[in-house]
C-alpha cells in the first residue's frame, strides 16, 4: 500500500477539528467518550483519515480502559509503531500504516493469543459493519 501524501491544509479540510487533533497532532480523547468503545457489532475498523483497514471486530475486547482495544491489527502493514517519549513516559505509539495518522498506543498487557492491547482513540476510527448474511 502506498503512503498517503496530503498537506496539513488538506487534512484540516477533511477531518473534524477533534479528529485532526488526534490523527495529526497526536492528541487523546477522554476515556469512555468514544462511540466505538462499547461497539460489539461485527465489522471492520478503518482509519478515519484515509480509510485503510486497521482492525477487525474479532480482535476487539473490553479492556476496561475506556478506549476501544484490540489484541491484533488486521494486517502487519496496516499499522506502524514507533517509540513515544512524550509526557515523561516511554510508550509505543500506534500509527496508521498508510497515512501515519496517530491512532493510540500499544501495551504488553492484552489477552491471548498475542498479549497485546492496542488502545485506540475512537475518533481515529471509522466502523464498517459486516454485510448481513442472506
Amino acid at each position: 500500500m502506498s503512503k498517503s501524501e496530503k498537506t496539513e491544509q488538506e487534512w484540516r479540510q477533511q477531518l473534524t477539528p477533534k479528529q485532526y487533533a488526534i490523527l495529526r497532532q497526536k492528541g487523546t480523547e477522554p476515556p469512555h467518550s468514544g462511540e466505538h468503545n462499547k461497539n460489539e457489532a461485527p465489522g471492520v475498523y478503518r482509519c478515519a483519515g484515509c480509510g485503510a483497514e486497521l482492525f477487525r471486530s474479532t480482535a476487539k475486547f473490553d479492556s476496561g480502559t475506556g478506549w476501544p482495544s484490540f489484541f491484533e491489527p488486521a494486517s502487519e502493514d496496516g499499522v506502524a509503531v514507533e517509540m513515544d517519549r512524550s509526557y515523561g513516559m516511554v510508550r509505543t505509539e500506534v500509527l496508521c500504516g498508510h497515512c501515519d495518522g496517530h491512532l493510540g498506543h500499544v501495551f504488553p498487557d492484552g489477552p491471548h493469543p498475542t498479549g497485546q492491547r492496542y488502545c485506540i482513540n475512537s475518533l481515529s476510527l471509522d466502523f464498517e459493519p459486516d454485510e448481513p448474511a442472506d
Side-chain angles (χ1 to χ4, degrees):
M1 180 180 282
S2 63
K3 287 284 186 177
S4 174
E5 296 182 20
K6 292 184 182 180
T7 66
E8 288 308 304
Q9 182 61 31
E10 289 172 320
W11 284 119
R12 283 185 188 278
Q13 289 174 345
Q14 175 188 331
L15 302 170
T16 69
K18 288 180 179 181
Q19 286 175 319
Y20 184 84
I22 289 172
L23 284 163
R24 308 313 308 170
Q25 297 177 316
K26 302 181 185 281
T28 300
E29 66 194 10
H32 305 286
S33 68
E35 69 176 300
H36 301 304
N37 184 41
K38 296 292 184 183
N39 182 19
E40 295 180 7
V44 173
Y45 292 86
R46 297 186 175 279
C47 176
C50 69
E53 183 175 335
L54 301 174
F55 300 97
R56 294 190 180 111
S57 61
T58 52
K60 190 172 187 289
F61 68 100
D62 184 357
S63 65
T65 61
W67 289 277
S69 296
F70 305 86
F71 60 79
E72 67 184 355
S75 67
E76 286 186 31
D77 62 350
V79 300
V81 296
E82 65 181 40
M83 197 59 56
D84 175 3
R85 298 182 186 277
S86 63
Y87 304 105
M89 296 181 275
V90 178
R91 301 176 291 175
T92 303
E93 179 182 7
V94 181
L95 304 164
C96 174
H98 181 63
C99 71
D100 293 328
H102 171 77
L103 304 173
H105 293 87
V106 61
F107 303 95
D109 61 1
H112 290 292
T114 65
Q116 300 296 300
R117 173 174 53 95
Y118 289 82
C119 190
I120 307 299
N121 290 289
S122 279
L123 285 167
S124 68
L125 301 172
D126 283 333
F127 180 70
E128 179 181 301
D130 285 347
E131 294 289 326
D134 290 336

